[in-house]
């Protein structure tokens, strides 16, 4: 009987495809829209994080700071081995690197034009060769970059009218206020992800330290890249605890803001360290994307409710149209519960086919979206990676979306079937 | 005299000559500071800043003007600069007392801590340019030469900073016999020329000297127009200078808040 019921349901659906098409279409559209929204949200999160990781160099960051002779983010080269030894003790760590950096105290000059830089990032070219693959290089020199190389953003290059091979003058203001300059050759021009602004540039640690008056291997940040899936906050806590006793430490900070406020709350001349996940550095961006997410989640709810109401009404009309057929089935012995189950099974079959179609359509839609060049849309470039959105939906997310849609369809079918179930066979037959 | 003794004497002479020249250099810088400082009274002057920025494709430079009143008390190394033009910046003020420099915004009625090394109102002038001259304290003479600069027979002094609190660690100044600086070049630590200032004339205010007109060339910004590189420049003109003993309360935040109301 159970098998017969599934067979009858399948036969009804396959023979009356036109009737079920609207419901199937609603299922497909609902799943595609919801998965697209989720894909975009996941893509935004991933792009923001990837930009932060590129910007700071890792998933967990160890910052050094000192108060003597100046309040500044600075760590001496002598502390490098301690940090490297601590990092080697963790199998979660994929790679490490040291970075120097200077904020808003630098200007690039070329041929009479000047462009202030939001940040000059000093890196070890050899240790961070992967960065050259990760950043969106528009054009670059063939030879590997050296200590006299600089990678400028496309926005800076356009303002300065410089290009690969141009000799630009980098003027920095040291923390003491002294002005120093260094001439560097443009090795590459990159399209900035823009999350951290379009006016950043990359130079070698050695060049930046030289112009800042530091030792060549001094740094301000030790960045650790972790294996995917490692809890960054927990790892930062663990690494911080291991630093205690090995290096002078600050307290573990709960946010970047707290770090900015309290990083100089210590006495003594030594550089003090703390660790934090890179997530701390993108809290404001996360708030921005959070606001966007709320809007998109509301849209998702709207889509789900629309699909639910639409399918319920379609079911009602469809079952009304089929009252003679269903009444006949009741008359030849199908119980009210059996009739309801039949409708539910029809709904399940429609939902299953709809889900399969929706999966294929959404894969295609996500693929198209990930190839769409969106870099020129104002405001959106904040969330792009190399000018692309790169949305992504995991299999579990698809499963959850499909489950929700199946549930909505079954609820619509259940409520619509409830009326038919309680109807007498005669009433059903004579209804139309 | 044995050759070794000769060598020792020569070394002593060279060393003492070096010490003398260093001392002479310090003295010269002190004289320049004295010639450019206004001690025992306050100075008030109307300043006009004209910024000329050359843009590509334009034959004439873009000109913008700002005006300000400056109250200066060199004895306490203080100054108060209140902008009067343009209208949008009217009432904005810079207050320097000791080593603190504050920017006051009359709209928000807030003081923001700022740096002496920063550019003044995005012009080629640094906030530190309004402070009293302190060459003898901040620099030492590392080279000297003579050069005719227009109608002036100048000593050209190359200076290097002895303190790391100055904006430009290397300077070259052209000093006329009356100890007035007629030209000044500011260099970065690595020797890149950042800007050139020319002070062709001075106003005599009482017994003191104030540059009447200062032309400041930005050596890094400008445009090539008709095959010639034209530097961005700021011209600072001082008018209606006067000396008068002012109440010390002028150089306070409270005063600015009061006039802001």
């Amino acid at each position: 009987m159970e098998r017969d019921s599934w067979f009858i349901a399948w036969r009804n659906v396959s023979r009356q495809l036109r009737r079920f098409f609207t419901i199937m279409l609603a299922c497909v559209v609902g799943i595609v829209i919801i998965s697209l929204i989720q894909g975009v949200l996941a893509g935004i999160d991933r792009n923001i994080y990837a930009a932060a990781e590129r910007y700071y160099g890792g998933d967990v960051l160890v910052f050094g700071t000192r108060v003597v002779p100046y309040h500044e983010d600075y760590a001496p080269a002598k502390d490098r081995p301690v940090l490297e030894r601590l990092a080697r003790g963790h199998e979660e760590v994929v790679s490490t690197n040291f970075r120097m950096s200077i904020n808003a105290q630098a200007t690039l000059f070329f041929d009479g034009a000047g462009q202030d830089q939001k940040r000059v990032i000093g890196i070890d070219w050899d240790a961070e060769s992967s960065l050259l693959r990760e950043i969106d290089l528009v054009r670059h020199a063939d030879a590997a970059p050296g200590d006299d190389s600089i990678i400028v953003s496309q926005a800076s290059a356009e303002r300065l009218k410089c290009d690969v091979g141009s000799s630009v003058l980098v003027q920095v203001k040291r923390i003491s206020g002294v002005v120093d300059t260094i001439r560097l050759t443009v090795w590459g021009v990159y399209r900035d992800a823009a999350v951290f602004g379009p006016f950043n540039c990359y130079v070698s640690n050695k060049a930046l330290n030289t112009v800042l008056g530091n030792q060549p291997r001094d740094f301000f940040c030790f960045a650790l890249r972790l294996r995917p899936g490692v809890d960054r906050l927990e790892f930062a806590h663990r690494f911080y605890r291991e630093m205690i006793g090995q290096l002078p430490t600050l307290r573990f900070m709960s946010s970047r803001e707290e770090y900015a406020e309290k990083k100089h709350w210590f006495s003594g001349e030594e550089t003090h360290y703390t660790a934090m996940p890179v997530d701390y550095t993108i809290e404001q961006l996360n708030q921005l994307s959070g606001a966007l997410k709320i809007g998109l989640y509301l849209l998702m709810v709207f889509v789900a409710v629309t699909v639910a109401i639409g399918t319920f009404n379609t079911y009602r009309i469809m079952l009304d149209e089929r009252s003679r057929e269903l009444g006949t089935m009741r008359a030849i012995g199908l119980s009210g519960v059996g009739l309801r189950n039949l409708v539910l099974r029809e709904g399940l079959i429609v939902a299953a086919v709809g889900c399969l179609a929706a999966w294929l359509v959404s894969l295609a839609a996500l693929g198209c979206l990930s190839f769409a060049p969106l870099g020129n849309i104002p405001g959106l470039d904040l969330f792009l990676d190399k000018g692309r959105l790169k949305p992504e939906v995991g299999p579990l997310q698809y499963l959850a979306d499909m489950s929700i849609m199946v549930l909505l369809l079954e609820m619509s079918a259940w409520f619509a079937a409830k009326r038919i179930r309680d109807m007498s066979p005669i009433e059903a037959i004579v209804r139309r | 005299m044995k050759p070794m003794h000769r060598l020792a004497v020569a070394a002593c002479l060279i060393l003492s000559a070096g010490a003398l020249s260093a001392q002479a250099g310090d003295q010269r810088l002190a004289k320049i500071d004295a010639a450019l400082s206004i001690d025992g009274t306050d100075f008030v002057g109307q300043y006009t800043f004209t910024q000329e920025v050359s843009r590509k494709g334009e034959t004439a430079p873009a000109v913008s003007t700002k005006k300000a009143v400056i109250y200066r008390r060199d004895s306490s190394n203080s100054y108060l600069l209140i902008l009067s033009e343009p209208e949008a910046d009217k009432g904005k003020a810079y207050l320097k007392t000791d080593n603190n420099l504050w920017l006051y915004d009359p709209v928000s009625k807030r003081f923001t801590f700022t740096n002496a090394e920063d550019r003044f109102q995005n012009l080629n002038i640094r906030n530190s340019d309004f402070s009293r001259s302190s060459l003898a304290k901040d620099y030492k003479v590392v080279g000297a030469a003579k050069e005719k600069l227009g109608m002036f027979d100048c000593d050209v002094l190359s200076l290097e900073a002895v303190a790391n609190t100055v904006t430009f660690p290397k300077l070259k100044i052209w000093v006329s016999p009356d100890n007035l600086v007629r030209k000044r070049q500011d260099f970065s630590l690595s020797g890149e020329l950042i800007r050139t200032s020319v002070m062709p004339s001075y106003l005599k205010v009482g017994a003191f000297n104030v540059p009447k007109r200062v032309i400041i060339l930005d050596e890094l910004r400008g445009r090539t127009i008709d095959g010639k590189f034209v530097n961005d420049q700021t011209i600072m003109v001082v008018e209606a200078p006067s000396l008068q003993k002012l109440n010390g309360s002028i150089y306070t935040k409270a005063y600015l808040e009061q006039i802001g109301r």
Side-chain angles (χ1 to χ4, degrees):
Chain A
M1 186 64 195
E2 190 77 8
R3 260 179 57 188
D4 288 347
S5 174
W6 277 110
F7 175 74
I8 293 165
W10 170 249
R11 193 192 58 189
N12 288 347
V13 172
S14 59
R15 286 188 182 171
Q16 304 175 56
L17 258 182
R18 272 168 51 187
R19 272 192 171 140
F20 287 99
F21 180 76
T22 313
I23 296 169
M24 208 180 287
L25 190 67
C27 174
V28 172
V29 170
I31 291 176
V32 169
I33 291 177
I34 289 174
S35 60
L36 273 178
I37 291 172
Q38 285 171 334
V40 168
L41 290 176
I44 286 172
D45 277 350
R46 202 188 67 160
N47 287 346
I48 288 177
Y49 187 79
E53 199 189 28
R54 270 200 307 276
Y55 196 67
Y56 288 99
D59 301 289
V60 168
L61 313 170
V62 177
F63 287 110
T65 185
R66 68 177 177 185
V67 294
V68 175
Y70 303 103
H71 285 202
E72 66 176 320
D73 293 330
Y74 166 86
K78 72 175 177 61
D79 289 342
R80 277 189 175 211
V82 180
L83 291 167
E84 283 174 320
R85 181 168 49 77
L86 290 175
R88 276 197 296 273
H90 296 276
E91 60 177 13
E92 303 99 313
V93 177
V94 177
S95 65
T96 60
N97 55 69
F98 293 90
R99 283 191 174 188
M100 181 46 79
S101 176
I102 178 169
N103 283 335
Q105 302 288 349
T107 309
L108 299 186
F109 291 97
F110 178 71
D111 194 23
Q115 177 58 54
D116 290 341
Q117 296 295 291
K118 187 181 173 223
R119 193 175 176 94
V120 181
I121 302 165
I123 67 170
D124 286 330
W125 294 124
D126 295 336
E128 291 203 65
S129 54
S130 62
L131 178 83
L132 302 180
R133 289 190 296 274
E134 289 168 10
I135 61 175
D136 189 5
L137 282 168
V138 180
R139 49 195 178 274
H140 62 85
D142 295 332
D147 287 336
D148 63 344
S149 301
I150 181 170
I151 300 178
V152 300
S153 69
Q154 198 173 22
S156 294
E158 282 170 4
R159 297 247 182 126
L160 297 173
K161 299 200 167 31
C162 66
D163 209 334
V164 173
S166 301
S167 173
V168 296
L169 185 76
V170 184
Q171 179 187 295
V172 304
K173 195 177 83 175
R174 293 183 179 180
I175 196 87
S176 64
V178 169
V179 169
D180 200 5
T181 49
I182 187 167
R183 280 209 175 267
L184 298 172
T185 305
V186 176
W187 180 85
V189 177
Y190 77 103
R191 198 176 358 244
D192 201 296
V195 171
F196 296 95
F199 299 112
N200 301 304
C201 59
Y202 293 91
V203 301
S204 78
N205 266 339
K206 191 179 171 188
L208 187 56
N209 273 319
T210 303
V211 77
L212 290 174
N214 299 329
Q215 294 301 309
R217 284 165 54 81
D218 290 346
F219 61 100
F220 104 109
C221 171
F222 176 58
L224 302 103
R225 287 204 176 198
L226 307 179
R227 283 196 183 138
V230 176
D231 184 334
R232 296 183 287 267
L233 181 60
E234 187 275 331
F235 184 87
H237 263 290
R238 209 150 24 103
F239 198 83
Y240 167 77
R241 284 197 297 272
E242 288 172 16
M243 282 196 299
I244 297 171
Q246 306 282 325
L247 290 166
T249 49
L250 303 166
R251 54 178 290 186
F252 190 88
M253 306 292 178
S254 61
S255 67
R256 179 80 173 163
E257 283 69 32
E258 188 188 6
Y259 174 70
E261 186 190 342
K262 298 176 180 171
K263 66 180 176 181
H264 295 136
W265 288 11
F266 65 89
S267 56
E269 296 193 2
E270 288 188 298
T271 294
H272 282 55
Y273 295 88
T274 191
M276 66 178 70
V278 74
D279 309 66
Y280 278 13
T281 65
I282 48 174
E283 277 169 356
Q284 286 180 337
L285 284 167
N286 283 338
Q287 284 170 7
L288 185 65
S289 75
L292 187 67
K293 277 179 189 173
I294 290 172
L296 289 176
Y297 278 131
L298 286 174
L299 182 63
M300 253 164 64
V301 171
F302 176 74
V303 168
V305 170
T306 308
V307 168
I309 293 170
T311 50
F312 173 68
N313 286 329
T314 310
Y315 258 117
R316 270 184 60 184
I317 295 165
M318 195 177 73
L319 292 181
D320 276 349
E321 283 173 1
R322 292 171 64 198
S323 60
R324 189 182 294 273
E325 170 202 337
L326 298 173
T328 308
M329 290 175 86
R330 284 292 312 274
I332 60 172
L334 190 65
S335 67
V337 174
L339 189 66
R340 187 198 62 197
N341 288 346
L342 179 70
V343 172
L344 289 178
R345 277 164 193 168
E346 287 173 0
L348 266 180
I349 290 167
V350 170
V353 176
C355 283
L356 185 67
W359 182 59
L360 294 172
V361 173
S362 64
L363 274 184
L366 287 170
C368 289
L369 198 58
S370 65
F371 282 108
L374 305 170
N376 294 327
I377 300 175
L380 194 63
D381 56 348
L382 272 175
F383 307 112
L384 305 181
D385 182 15
K386 298 187 178 181
R388 305 283 192 272
L389 194 54
K390 294 185 179 171
E392 55 184 17
V393 182
L396 283 176
Q397 197 63 58
Y398 266 125
L399 213 58
D401 294 346
M402 288 173 180
S403 305
I404 290 169
M405 202 46 66
V406 169
L407 196 69
L408 284 175
L409 254 60
E410 284 298 273
M411 278 171 63
S412 306
W414 192 83
F415 280 115
K418 205 174 151 198
R419 291 176 61 231
I420 294 292
R421 187 195 68 179
D422 299 336
M423 208 180 284
S424 72
I426 303 297
E427 190 189 348
I429 290 168
V430 300
R431 197 157 176 211
R432 295 189 71 183
Chain B
M1 197 182 278
K2 289 179 181 177
M4 280 297 284
H5 290 165
R6 280 186 199 155
L7 205 63
V9 169
C12 285
L13 283 171
I14 290 167
L15 283 173
S16 58
L20 274 175
S21 67
Q23 197 182 5
D26 287 347
Q27 284 173 355
R28 188 70 196 277
L29 293 181
K31 283 179 185 170
I32 296 166
D33 286 340
L36 296 174
S37 297
I38 299 168
D39 285 319
T41 185
D42 297 80
F43 168 81
V44 186
Q46 302 274 352
Y47 281 61
T48 304
F49 310 97
T50 308
Q51 171 100 322
E52 294 180 5
V53 179
S54 306
R55 297 211 171 88
K56 203 168 190 177
E58 292 175 13
T59 49
V63 179
S64 62
T65 304
K66 289 177 188 286
K67 287 188 176 178
V69 181
I70 295 184
Y71 303 87
R72 203 173 116 189
R73 178 176 286 182
D74 285 357
S75 57
S76 60
N77 200 13
S78 308
Y79 71 75
L80 172 65
L81 182 155
I82 305 173
L83 282 159
S84 54
E85 281 182 32
E87 194 62 31
D89 294 330
K90 194 172 181 177
K92 280 185 183 169
Y94 291 79
L95 172 65
K96 183 178 187 299
T97 53
D98 300 322
N99 291 323
N100 300 318
L101 181 62
W102 298 94
L103 170 61
Y104 176 69
D105 183 353
V107 179
S108 64
K109 301 198 186 308
R110 282 193 171 179
F111 288 90
T112 314
F113 193 80
T114 187
N115 291 308
E117 308 87 23
D118 288 348
R119 287 155 67 100
F120 167 71
Q121 292 287 305
N122 215 24
L123 305 175
N124 297 333
I125 302 168
R126 306 273 169 164
N127 294 328
S128 55
D129 292 340
F130 302 111
S131 299
R132 73 173 295 165
S133 177
S134 56
L135 292 172
K137 185 172 122 274
D138 296 332
Y139 294 91
K140 64 176 180 187
V141 178
V142 294
K146 290 207 175 285
E147 195 177 304
K148 182 95 174 166
L149 185 69
M151 58 190 233
F152 302 106
D153 290 314
C154 292
D155 291 325
V156 185
L157 304 178
S158 297
L159 312 181
E160 272 185 16
V162 291
N164 63 357
T165 49
V166 296
T167 310
F168 299 106
K170 291 178 180 172
L171 298 184
K172 204 168 175 183
I173 52 174
W174 282 251
V175 188
S176 53
D178 51 3
N179 289 317
L180 296 176
V181 177
R182 301 292 173 173
K183 182 178 170 185
R184 169 181 162 143
Q185 287 187 326
D186 302 312
F187 297 86
S188 72
L189 191 61
S190 51
E192 191 78 34
L193 179 59
I194 305 291
R195 66 174 190 173
T196 301
S197 309
V198 182
M199 298 73 116
S201 56
Y202 279 79
L203 290 166
K204 198 79 181 167
V205 190
F208 306 106
N209 301 290
V210 179
K212 185 181 175 186
R213 179 181 162 90
V214 183
I215 302 162
I216 303 162
L217 297 180
D218 190 328
E219 298 289 354
L220 301 178
R221 285 186 169 90
R223 281 278 176 263
T224 304
I225 300 172
D226 296 332
K228 189 184 167 197
F229 189 82
V230 180
N231 298 83
D232 290 356
Q233 67 174 18
T234 301
I235 299 170
M236 183 171 81
V237 176
V238 184
E239 291 167 313
S242 66
L243 300 173
Q244 48 186 290
K245 191 73 186 163
L246 300 170
N247 193 321
S249 63
I250 282 182
Y251 305 101
T252 60
K253 286 183 177 181
Y255 176 75
L256 274 175
E257 286 170 331
Q258 188 188 333
I259 61 167
R261 279 198 289 271

